[in-house]
């Protein structure tokens, strides 16, 4: 059969791809009959493909319901895709435009192996410019960028880093740890994080998460400005505009906020 741009491909791979696309369309899990209806593939043939996809980890079967669901390899591939440069390139034009309209510097950050890391920066022309170099790893206990990403990650993942940050600051104890997680809870309620002079005296910041289709924080978008013109209040007009941007970017990449219906 004809492949992309007229080239011949492997039919079985294309059928498997069609099956996986159907599973995505059906929210990640479905019974054999539903998959057959969506793909138009005969159930007997479909079952053979599902067996092979289970063997390589792209699909798994839920014994209690007999539904088929995406397997661990599918999720791992999705994680890698979300972490790639493509996602940053996808949101960059909207963030750059937001920065110009607001008249304040903006950055994009994501969770990497090193921690929450600035991956793109959009400056504005000012007498005193604000710059965070891409590759900068930010603190997850005081930086609003770091906090807004960490607030939506599992505690088992973040607590070792929280303790490390607090230890560096010379204030590690259980009470301080719980204060950080209290802050994370407030950030989840507000949908936004704020900081005031925590990294640079006189510089305030607001940050919002952008979610992937699994309700996980794929990115954070942060805007920074001088305290004289940018108070960075969570209930300010600027905060509402930034939250609107976060919702827009989440929708554009097919994402879902946590606990969304």
């Amino acid at each position: 059969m004809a492949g992309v741009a007229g080239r011949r491909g492997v039919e079985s791979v294309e059928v498997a791809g069609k099956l996986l696309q159907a599973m995505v369309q059906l929210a990640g899990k479905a019974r054999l009959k539903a998959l057959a209806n969506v793909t138009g593939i005969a159930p007997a043939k479909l079952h053979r493909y599902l067996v092979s996809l289970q063997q390589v980890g792209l699909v798994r079967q839920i014994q209690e319901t007999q539904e088929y669901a995406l397997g661990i390899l599918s999720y791992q591939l999705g994680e890698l895709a979300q972490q790639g440069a493509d996602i940053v390139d996808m949101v960059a034009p909207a963030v750059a435009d937001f920065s110009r309209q607001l008249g304040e510097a903006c950055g994009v950050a994501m969770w990497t192996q090193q921690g929450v890391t600035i991956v793109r920066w959009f400056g504005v022309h000012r007498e005193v410019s604000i710059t965070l170099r891409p590759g900068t790893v930010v603190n997850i206990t005081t930086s609003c960028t770091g906090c807004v990403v960490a607030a939506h990650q599992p505690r088992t993942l973040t607590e070792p880093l929280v303790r490390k940050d607090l230890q560096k600051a010379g204030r590690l104890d259980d009470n301080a740890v719980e204060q950080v997680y209290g802050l994370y809870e407030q950030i989840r309620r507000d949908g936004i994080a704020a900081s005031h002079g925590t990294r640079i005296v006189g510089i305030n910041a607001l940050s919002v998460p952008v979610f992937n289709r699994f309700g996980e924080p794929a990115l954070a978008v942060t805007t920074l400005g001088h305290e004289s013109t940018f108070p960075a209040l969570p209930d300010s007009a600027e905060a509402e505009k930034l939250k609107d941007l976060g919702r827009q970017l989440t929708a554009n990449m097919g994402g879902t906020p946590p606990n969304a219906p």
Side-chain angles (χ1 to χ4, degrees):
M1 64 188 298
V4 177
R7 292 175 292 176
R8 295 185 64 83
V10 179
E11 182 178 5
S12 59
V13 174
E14 294 177 15
V15 173
K18 186 177 182 180
L19 196 164
L20 291 171
Q21 288 172 347
M23 293 199 72
V24 171
Q25 183 180 336
L26 294 168
K29 64 179 180 179
R31 291 180 179 271
L32 181 63
K33 183 178 179 181
L35 288 168
N37 288 339
V38 171
T39 61
I41 302 171
K45 180 179 180 181
L46 195 60
H47 182 263
R48 293 196 298 273
Y49 275 91
L50 286 165
V51 169
S52 293
L53 291 172
Q54 285 179 82
Q55 290 173 349
V56 298
L58 285 168
V59 169
R60 61 188 174 89
Q61 189 172 29
I62 304 170
Q63 295 302 321
E64 294 80 5
T65 62
Q66 294 301 299
E67 291 175 302
Y68 292 93
L70 293 174
I72 186 65
L73 181 56
S74 293
Y75 287 100
Q76 289 171 334
L77 290 170
E79 292 265 322
L80 286 173
Q82 293 285 4
Q83 292 172 9
D86 288 350
I87 188 174
V88 179
D89 291 339
M90 185 172 71
V91 304
V95 178
D97 187 55
F98 179 83
S99 177
R100 285 192 295 269
Q101 289 186 26
L102 193 64
E104 303 290 357
C106 286
V108 177
M110 64 196 318
W111 190 280
T112 70
Q113 289 183 333
Q114 288 73 41
V116 180
T117 305
I118 303 296
V119 293
R120 194 68 63 87
W121 187 256
F122 304 93
V124 291
H125 296 294
R126 289 281 179 86
E127 289 183 13
V128 179
S129 60
I130 305 169
T131 302
L132 280 179
R133 242 189 354 256
T136 300
V137 178
V138 297
N139 189 294
I140 66 168
T141 60
T142 56
S143 161
C144 71
T145 305
C147 287
V148 85
V149 176
H152 295 90
Q153 297 282 9
R155 182 162 177 164
T156 52
L157 177 64
T158 59
E159 187 164 344
L161 295 176
V162 166
R163 290 182 174 276
K164 183 178 178 182
D165 283 351
L166 291 173
Q167 187 171 36
K168 283 183 179 178
R171 55 189 190 95
L172 175 58
D173 58 48
D174 290 342
N175 184 54
V177 172
E178 293 310 315
Q179 284 180 352
V180 171
Y181 283 94
L183 172 63
Y184 289 173
E185 185 177 347
Q186 183 67 48
I187 288 169
R188 290 193 295 271
R189 284 198 300 267
D190 293 343
I192 193 166
S195 62
H196 302 90
T198 54
R199 184 178 180 89
I200 304 171
V201 175
I203 301 300
N204 296 340
L206 292 169
S207 187
V208 295
V210 177
F211 297 103
N212 63 22
R213 64 182 302 271
F214 304 112
E216 301 164 339
L219 298 168
V221 178
T222 301
T223 184
L224 298 92
H226 194 272
E227 62 183 2
S228 62
T229 57
F230 189 67
L233 301 175
D235 58 352
S236 64
E238 292 84 0
E240 287 304 315
K241 290 177 183 178
L242 185 60
K243 286 197 283 187
D244 284 344
L245 176 65
R247 286 188 285 264
Q248 173 196 325
L249 295 176
T250 293
N252 288 351
M253 57 188 287
T256 305
N259 306 318

